[in-house]
Amino acid sequence: MDTQFLVSVGLILITFGLYIGIAFYNLARKTSDFYVAGRNVPAIFNGMAIGADWMSAASFIGLAGTVMLLGYDGLAYIMGWTGGYLLLTFLLAPQLRKSGRYTVPEFIGDRYKSSTARLIAAVATIIISFTYSIGQLSGSGVVIGRLLEVDTAIGTMIGVALIAFYSAVGGMKGITWTQVAQYIVLITAYLVPVIFMSLQLTSNPIPWLSYGQIVSELQVLDVQLGISEYVVPFTEATRWQFLALMFTLMAGTAGLPHVIVRFYTVPTMKAARWSGAWALLFIGLLYLSAPAYAAFSRFILMTQVAGSSIADLPAWTTSWVNTGQLSVADQNGDGILQWAELVISRDIVVMATPEIANLGIFVVGLMAAGAMAAALSTAGGLMIAISASISQDIYYRSINPKATDRQRLLVGRWSIIIATVAAGIVALDPPGAITQIVAWAFALASGTFFPALILGVWWKRANGPGVIAGMLVGLTVTLIYIFAAQYGGFTLFGIIDTGAGVFGAASAIITIIVVSLATKPPSKETQEEVMDLRYPEEMVYRDGEVWLKESPEDTKVHK
Amino acid sequence: MKLLKKIDKKDADAYFRIRTTLVAIYLLIGFIASFGVVFFAEELSGFSVNGFPFHYFMGAQGAVLIFILLLFINAITNDHIDKKFGLDQGKKK
């Protein structure tokens, strides 16, 4: 047990004590509290909670490494994962808030007047959130395993126990305030190393202004080595794959149930718009820093590690070589490590960088605590989405409509525990890389929820048969494309598995429109409800006329 | 109990139209900043901003900053429109 181990574990324990303390303090009692935190979270804090929910192990641990290894082509992730908030905040969030439903499947079921549609949506929520959480749990397994110097599988099990415990006792209210704390921990952990590296390399403490200079120097180094240049577009993927991946990530963002549910926790439509704006500001802080991380790490590796004697490599290389994520074989036997002989996995770039840049044990420990916050906060939000789908949409609405609050809460808690353990079991031997699993979840969301929600809010003619057919077609097309591209080598326009959402969304939208037009229009009542979403919440649409709410009680309700 | 006052549907629709028009403009700007720049990445790499070739700057910083700005502009202008139409959420009238 060295000092580094003690510092890292100490920081993780302190931050976790903080999260669990907050969860206990807010111990949920009523159903409405459990799922949507009583709808009284201020926009700025809701923005932070959305940020913590959003920034998963893939963003925190994987993103900078992806940008470092893919160069310009990796920026599809940066623009895709931020641009989705435009679609979400402009086209969906305020309207869904006005509809006043608890969950996405509930909205779909009520909007399309179809319990079949609600069940399909509930099952899709479970599939998407489950897929996504496998990535989070295996990410936490890597961090815990590396820290405790135990097998990754044991690390994953510890992660499972933690997340099941505090999701089940705290509910959403616990998680909202817990996630505010997690956001602060993870953004601090992300920014401190990148600011230090900026100071070391450029003497400028503002990485966003200074890394352009490093990128120019990288271009010179690339030309000297004769490798593909860092900023040149479409060297790792085609133009169409870049565009398809960016679309998949944007549309998936607007359709992810665990993100959308956050917009139910705000008191008004106005607060929904402000929450979206604050959320993207807080998220943007990390996404603007990831390419700086990538450039600094690549520069340090190229100038300080590559070219040094193989017998004289820094100590950090040994521990990462042991995990199998880093390879430093001296292939040409000249005793010197060449850049081409250094093979680094994209998932360890962020975790290894504080060690590479020699930033000291406190920063290394902080990174571990931040990575754990990213993985577990997202897993928490996902578990709530799964639990709400099972207890509200399947159990209460379809199996036992007479269930008491207590029974529903109990079903919700047990679903969290069972889902976490099941995801943990799959995560012991994950089916793909973390970022890849996460991209599949986005593709599935853009093939199912994105079309169903957009057309549900903006096209009153969309009906039940249309959305049932559309979600099933979108789900099938997306799944088949992912499998065909991943295992069968099938591609269209050079678009690979991670860009599958573009085909899923297109086929689902076409199906919903064609089937809706071929079948009976929705009832007048349903069409009026959709019309009602056009107007601010003080206005009510009824029988072709618009009414303004004026009672003082109503004003109080919105406070 | 809800007390309702009827208002002119033309006013309500004017509200909806101005909101929808603004959102369409914001989305178009966002689309050009991301998809538009990527599509013409090679053609736009000739000049530099903040030390990067333009296409790289837009992908790493420009597009994200524009997205954030658009969301705040939307929230602010919408508050103004609400006020103009006599709506002031969360405050007593």
Side-chain angles (χ1 to χ4, degrees), chain A residues 231 239 270 535 537 548, chain B residues 5-6 13 39 55 89:
Chain A
V231 299
R239 183 193 317 269
K270 170 183 169 165
Y535 306 110
E537 54 215 330
L548 193 65
Chain B
K5 190 182 86 174
K6 192 176 160 184
D13 284 339
F39 197 84
H55 72 286
Q89 291 180 348

Side-chain angles (χ1 to χ4, degrees), chain A residues 316-341:
Chain A
W316 63 265
T317 49
T318 324
S319 50
W320 285 108
V321 167
N322 291 342
T323 65
Q325 309 277 356
L326 178 73
S327 148
V328 288
D330 182 19
Q331 284 146 359
N332 61 2
D334 62 355
I336 305 286
L337 178 70
Q338 319 288 340
W339 171 243
E341 291 168 348

Side-chain angles (χ1 to χ4, degrees), chain A residues 241-262:
Chain A
Q241 163 62 15
F242 192 118
L243 294 168
L245 173 59
M246 194 157 74
F247 172 84
T248 299
L249 299 176
M250 283 186 191
T253 303
L256 275 182
H258 79 281
V259 176
I260 293 174
V261 80
R262 279 278 165 218

